[in-house]
Amino acid sequence: MNTEAKNELQFVLTSHLSFIYESHDAAALSDELINIMDLNANCQKPSSHQSTWDEQHAYLICYGDSIRCEHEQPLKTLSRFYEKELKGVISGMHILPFFPYSSDDGFSVIDYAQVNDSLGDWDDIEQIAKQCRLMSDLVINHCSSRSRWFDNFKQNKHPGANYFFEASTEDDLSMVVRPRTSPLLREVETLEGKKYVWCTFSHDQVDLDFSNPEVLKEFVKIIKLYLDKGIRTFRLDAVAFIWKEIGHASIHHEKTHEIIRLLRNLIEYHSPEAIIITETNVPNHENLSYFGNANEAHAVYNFSLPPLVLHAMVTGNSQHLKHWQMSMPPAQLGTFYFNFLASHDGIGLRPAEGLLDEDEIGTVVNCMQQFGARINWRSAANGVSKPYEINITYFDAMQGTHKGPDQWQLQRFLCAHAIMLSLEGVPAVYIQSLVGGQNWEQGVELSGQNRAINRYKWNFDELCGKLNDEHTHHNKVFSNLKKLLGIRCQQPAFHPNATQFTLHLGDQIFAFWRQSLKRDQSIFCIHNISDEKLSIPLSSINLIQLDQWYDLVSGKPFNDLQQDLVLAPYGFVWLSNKL
């Protein structure tokens, strides 16, 4: 037993708990959490500011049943698809909630300790965890109204009796910020009479009450179970909302941040290589606060990236994307940005607030609606409804610009992903983007949910047929993305924490310089985000004359640094001094 590590952990936990639960015995609660995590015998002190990731890290985002095969459990099919098609270019997999659920495609969890039997079982999860780094959701803000906990809440039984946040219809809730327009409170009949429970997202997703330490202990038990099953990346879903307070916005509460720091310590002292990613779909400066001082989340979703890249692509102007990138602080060692363009949730617009004005957001929304997008709305603090999310597949989002559809859909799509794959951070590609999925209108009609447009379930044989048919756009998307991922994972200058500087080559170009941590490789990532052919003098890029330069994508050498770099519409190069 590492006594020094355990004593240090005990001190740190007690400090966190004293702040979160002023009226409880923090030392005793600390001991309970250490026992739950089995840290009395197995306690490892993590290294501070240590990066356990590198340029080879990239994630696939998918559902447990995104790919199906008759007479086979979907998790086994997913494992088979990964082994056949993705091993070597994708190192991690985020399987969206794979537990029994009642709504929201998994994010209304009935039982955190079980695998949904329509997907498979824990053996299947453990198998995937052996194949790649597995990310699981910790749906920490709320659970299903059909859960055992909520049934017990209504019957005043344990566990569950005091697990849910209650409020009164007389309370002033006008300050509450949330991404939905549905009523916040749900009336519930209980053995003790009528109560009103807090529902940030939907009336089937009832918010938990973390002011009760028993709720915290339950989630620590869940974390320990997931670690035992091989999960090493924890996505804290909707974590910004977990601490509620009447008369407060009930988002980004200081005790929310303290709980994340506490969970990080528990996880790291158990498994130093395990990490936390916070999912906080909010304006950029609020999102960055979840890094803390490199002592909170290991990674934050780079939520401003999808709407800003989308705006640049449909307008042909990189000005806002460049200004944002220049304002972004480099992630400290021991932290990283989690970069993505698409996910199961559509493209969030709140992270563009303060970066794009309302007219510019309106331009993007109107353009996307022309391409078949469905828009979700939210209630702002003053009661005004604003567009919250654009629901569309990324391939269909790239079918044109604000001028209308054009012939550059595939190249525009690949250019957008080349930007995402080469930026500082770890990239993640959504399954529908990886295979060139298109808007699933039938899914919206069947479910009544706008987000279903980007949640098509593929048949394994049908999908493999399309991916292997060179005449399909699915093949072109898949083969090109795999090629870019394969190139990326061999470049030290694409380490998630490698140096990055923005280049100024005009508004139709989005370009930046990456340099490896050892400073022995430079890559100039230059992307034409317009529908025009552009020429750039290589002399304006400041390439070192003594080095030999190559485009990593095409393999083409650039020997004459006085020549022009010619980029086709939506063309891009990754110019490196190492091939």
Side-chain angles (χ1 to χ4, degrees):
M1 180 180 72
N2 189 332
T3 305
E4 182 184 348
K6 186 200 164 189
N7 290 341
E8 183 177 298
L9 175 63
Q10 204 156 22
F11 175 80
V12 170
L13 292 180
T14 302
S15 299
H16 291 315
L17 293 164
S18 297
F19 180 79
I20 300 165
Y21 303 112
E22 298 96 331
S23 59
H24 289 77
D25 184 341
L29 187 51
S30 170
D31 286 340
E32 286 188 75
L33 298 183
I34 287 171
N35 286 332
I36 291 169
M37 291 291 289
D38 193 24
L39 291 171
N40 283 305
N42 303 293
C43 194
Q44 305 175 66
K45 183 177 178 178
S47 300
S48 60
H49 298 283
Q50 181 179 350
S51 299
T52 58
W53 43 85
D54 60 24
E55 60 274 13
Q56 296 182 19
H57 279 63
Y59 282 82
L60 172 70
I61 304 170
C62 61
Y63 284 97
D65 61 349
S66 287
I67 305 171
R68 298 169 169 174
C69 187
E70 198 172 356
H71 308 306
E72 183 175 52
Q73 292 285 69
L75 287 172
K76 286 185 171 64
T77 307
L78 183 60
S79 172
R80 193 155 55 95
F81 181 78
Y82 176 84
E83 198 70 22
K84 178 176 184 284
E85 300 286 358
L86 300 178
K87 193 173 183 179
V89 294
I90 293 280
S91 63
M93 198 184 310
H94 172 203
I95 304 178
L96 291 149
F98 46 79
F99 318 103
Y101 70 95
S102 54
S103 64
D104 198 18
D105 277 359
F107 286 92
S108 187
V109 178
I110 292 174
D111 186 346
Y112 292 87
Q114 297 296 322
V115 174
N116 188 334
D117 59 14
S118 69
L119 299 177
D121 55 29
W122 280 117
D123 286 344
D124 297 317
I125 291 295
E126 290 185 70
Q127 172 58 31
I128 293 173
K130 291 173 185 172
Q131 290 176 287
C132 63
R133 187 180 184 97
L134 181 58
M135 182 192 303
S136 172
D137 286 276
L138 191 65
V139 186
I140 195 169
N141 177 68
H142 51 262
C143 72
S144 169
S145 65
R146 287 173 47 196
S147 65
R148 177 188 171 213
W149 288 349
F150 196 63
D151 284 344
N152 286 350
F153 170 81
K154 290 184 285 187
Q155 297 173 48
N156 197 29
K157 288 165 52 179
H158 295 287
N162 300 305
Y163 280 18
F164 297 90
F165 194 87
E166 301 173 40
S168 163
T169 54
E170 304 301 314
D171 291 331
D172 180 5
L173 305 176
S174 60
M175 291 178 64
V176 173
V177 175
R178 53 193 286 261
R180 296 293 184 273
T181 54
S182 56
L184 175 61
L185 300 183
R186 170 187 168 177
E187 182 181 310
V188 182
E189 289 294 339
T190 75
L191 282 182
E192 296 181 322
K194 190 180 295 183
K195 292 185 177 181
Y196 292 88
V197 292
W198 190 287
C199 301
T200 298
F201 292 93
S202 79
H203 282 191
D204 184 47
Q205 295 163 295
V206 190
D207 283 37
L208 294 150
D209 184 1
F210 272 86
S211 68
N212 177 1
E214 294 302 315
V215 174
L216 176 67
K217 285 190 271 185
E218 292 282 8
F219 275 91
V220 173
K221 291 175 190 173
I222 293 163
I223 287 169
K224 176 61 165 60
L225 171 67
Y226 295 177
L227 286 166
D228 289 346
K229 299 300 182 182
I231 292 159
R232 287 298 179 269
T233 305
F234 292 84
R235 176 185 183 268
L236 302 192
D237 176 67
V239 70
F241 303 97
I242 63 171
W243 196 277
K244 270 69 83 168
E245 185 178 321
I246 306 301
H248 187 278
S250 295
I251 184 172
H252 313 316
H253 198 286
E254 58 187 358
K255 293 192 176 183
T256 292
H257 288 280
E258 200 72 26
I259 289 171
I260 297 169
R261 288 191 279 269
L262 179 146
L263 295 179
R264 172 174 174 153
N265 278 306
L266 284 170
I267 289 169
E268 278 194 329
Y269 275 81
H270 181 282
S271 300
E273 77 283 8
I275 62 173
I276 284 175
I277 296 182
T278 48
E279 187 265 339
T280 50
N281 194 350
V282 293
N284 191 53
H285 68 282
E286 299 173 25
N287 188 39
L288 293 179
S289 70
Y290 285 86
F291 275 140
N293 184 24
N295 63 349
E296 204 163 320
H298 296 88
V300 300
Y301 274 79
N302 211 345
F303 274 114
S304 296
L305 183 64
L308 288 176
V309 170
L310 183 62
H311 176 267
M313 288 294 165
V314 302
T315 63
N317 190 318
S318 67
Q319 188 177 7
H320 292 303
L321 186 58
K322 279 191 292 194
H323 286 171
W324 164 75
Q325 180 168 277
M326 288 188 293
S327 73
M328 289 288 279
Q332 294 186 53
L333 289 178
T335 66
F336 65 88
Y337 292 110
F338 192 70
N339 295 328
F340 70 110
L341 294 179
S343 74
H344 63 293
D345 283 346
I347 299 165
L349 293 173
R350 278 211 76 203
E353 291 176 13
L355 303 170
L356 301 175
D357 64 31
E358 288 193 7
D359 288 342
E360 288 162 334
I361 290 174
T363 296
V364 173
V365 168
N366 293 337
C367 180
M368 291 300 103
Q369 286 179 309
Q370 289 180 45
F371 301 155
R374 307 297 179 95
I375 310 300
N376 285 343
W377 302 82
R378 72 176 180 90
S379 177
N382 57 4
V384 174
S385 291
K386 290 187 174 183
Y388 167 70
E389 183 180 81
I390 299 170
N391 293 284
I392 189 170
T393 64
Y394 211 83
F395 188 72
D396 276 346
M398 294 289 100
Q399 64 187 273
T401 68
H402 66 100
K403 295 178 282 189
D406 59 27
Q407 73 270 38
W408 303 112
Q409 183 174 13
L410 175 64
Q411 193 57 42
R412 186 183 291 112
F413 176 90
L414 293 174
C415 181
H417 280 81
I419 290 170
M420 187 269 287
L421 291 173
S422 52
L423 282 169
E424 175 193 345
V426 171
V429 183
Y430 183 49
I431 182 67
Q432 303 300 341
S433 297
L434 184 66
V435 301
Q438 295 179 279
N439 292 341
W440 186 30
E441 298 289 350
Q442 187 182 10
V444 177
E445 293 166 11
L446 290 171
S447 67
Q449 300 295 321
N450 288 342
R451 288 175 168 176
I453 202 168
N454 198 20
R455 297 179 179 179
Y456 182 71
K457 310 296 184 186
W458 290 92
N459 172 273
F460 181 86
D461 294 327
E462 172 202 8
L463 177 59
C464 289
K466 290 181 183 295
L467 297 182
N468 292 322
D469 182 349
E470 293 180 1
H471 300 291
T472 67
H473 78 268
H474 303 284
N475 169 276
K476 294 179 176 68
V477 165
F478 188 60
S479 59
N480 277 286
L481 286 182
K482 280 179 66 175
K483 176 185 175 182
L484 292 176
L485 284 159
I487 293 168
R488 181 189 184 280
C489 70
Q490 297 175 50
Q491 314 307 320
F494 284 155
H495 185 287
N497 297 109
T499 298
Q500 175 174 287
F501 280 107
T502 307
L503 304 178
H504 298 275
L505 301 173
D507 287 344
Q508 293 176 299
I509 296 286
F510 182 57
F512 44 91
W513 170 62
R514 303 294 309 279
Q515 185 183 55
S516 59
L517 296 175
K518 293 182 179 178
R519 302 194 175 187
D520 57 348
Q521 185 187 30
S522 286
I523 303 177
F524 289 83
C525 307
I526 304 170
H527 311 84
N528 178 1
I529 59 157
S530 77
D531 55 8
E532 299 175 16
K533 183 178 177 180
L534 299 176
S535 293
I536 304 162
L538 282 175
S539 58
S540 68
I541 304 173
N542 199 28
L543 303 177
I544 297 172
Q545 296 275 354
L546 297 177
D547 287 347
Q548 174 67 61
W549 295 89
Y550 306 88
D551 173 23
L552 294 171
V553 180
S554 66
K556 176 185 174 183
F558 284 80
N559 299 315
D560 180 4
L561 300 188
Q562 299 308 310
Q563 67 179 303
D564 283 354
L565 171 64
V566 179
L567 293 175
Y570 304 102
F572 56 90
V573 293
W574 290 346
L575 295 180
S576 171
N577 61 346
K578 287 192 173 184
L579 188 59

